[in-house]
């Protein structure tokens, strides 16, 4: 198990600071977010310290993804508000504040005043096909 000494989520894994744990096994842990956006807001993390999806061990990911789906179903069943968001911010530019990979699992109903938002008017013009094709190629080439 590899933790980082100054990481708040590693401290939770090591039991150095308290958390309300929803699920835990050898590799992952899920606990209540201390500043919940909504009742039922939880965080799922790998126990080992990875910064985000840019450095997570791909061998661990199927285990993490399976647990993400199971927790999402549990939150959906427990709160039943019509939806559940899964959010992971990768890097400060994407809004990541704690640099230990975490997936937010957050109940969300249609009228909630929080959530993933697109800018106003973003559907006014469809992107030209050639542009989409060249951007798709750029991403393929980065594999
Ligand atoms: P980020 O902005 O990095 O995606 O989200 C970090 C999340 O961690 C925030 O939702 C924040 O409320 C939560 N958080 C920050 N410090 C603690 C803590 O000490 N304990 C718990 N349980 N959650 C925390
Ligand atoms: Zn950590």
């Amino acid at each position: 198990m590899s933790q980082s000494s100054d990481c708040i989520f590693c401290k939770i894994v090591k039991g150095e600071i308290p958390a309300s744990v929803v699920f835990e096994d050898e590799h992952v842990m899920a606990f209540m977010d201390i500043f919940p956006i909504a009742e039922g807001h939880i965080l799922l993390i790998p126990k080992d310290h990875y910064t985000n999806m840019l450095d997570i061990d791909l061998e661990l990911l199927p285990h993490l993804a399976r647990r993400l789906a199971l927790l999402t179903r549990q939150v959906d069943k427990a709160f039943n508000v019509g939806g559940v968001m899964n959010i992971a911010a990768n890097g400060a530019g994407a809004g990541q504040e704690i640099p230990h990979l975490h997936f937010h699992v957050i109940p969300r109903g249609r009228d909630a005043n929080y959530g993933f938002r697109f800018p106003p008017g973003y559907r006014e013009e469809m992107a030209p096909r050639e542009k989409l094709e060249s951007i798709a190629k750029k991403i393929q080439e980065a594999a």
Side-chain angles (χ1 to χ4, degrees):
M1 203 62 75
S2 77
Q3 267 88 39
S4 161
S5 56
D6 56 354
C7 170
I8 199 157
F9 288 172
C10 284
K11 286 185 178 153
I12 288 176
V13 171
K14 288 183 279 184
E16 291 174 6
I17 61 170
S20 298
V21 177
V22 175
F23 177 84
E24 178 172 14
D25 68 12
E26 191 188 343
H27 299 295
V28 305
M29 192 170 186
F31 49 87
M32 304 311 299
D33 195 298
I34 207 164
F35 300 113
I37 286 172
E39 200 174 306
H41 181 176
I42 64 178
L43 300 170
L44 171 67
I45 66 166
K47 284 189 168 178
D48 281 347
H49 183 88
Y50 295 100
T51 307
N52 54 39
M53 292 292 267
L54 303 181
D55 66 350
I56 181 71
D57 178 356
L58 295 180
E59 299 297 316
L60 187 59
L61 208 52
H63 186 73
L64 205 52
R66 182 174 188 279
R67 186 50 53 187
L68 180 63
L70 293 172
L71 287 166
T72 300
R73 290 169 198 200
Q74 281 169 250
V75 166
D76 184 56
K77 190 172 168 187
F79 297 93
N80 194 28
V81 292
V84 181
M85 296 189 299
N86 295 147
I87 301 171
N90 301 295
Q96 184 176 15
E97 286 187 355
I98 301 209
H100 180 133
L101 173 63
H102 51 282
F103 292 96
H104 295 261
V105 179
I106 312 172
R108 185 182 191 279
R110 226 174 239 286
D111 300 328
N113 65 354
Y114 55 86
F116 189 62
R117 301 205 184 272
F118 292 95
Y122 78 102
R123 275 190 182 169
E124 274 163 23
E125 244 177 89
M126 265 192 204
R129 178 65 45 205
E130 322 80 74
K131 178 130 196 246
L132 293 177
E133 292 292 335
S134 82
I135 294 169
K137 191 154 175 279
K138 178 176 175 169
I139 297 167
Q140 284 169 346
E141 285 168 359

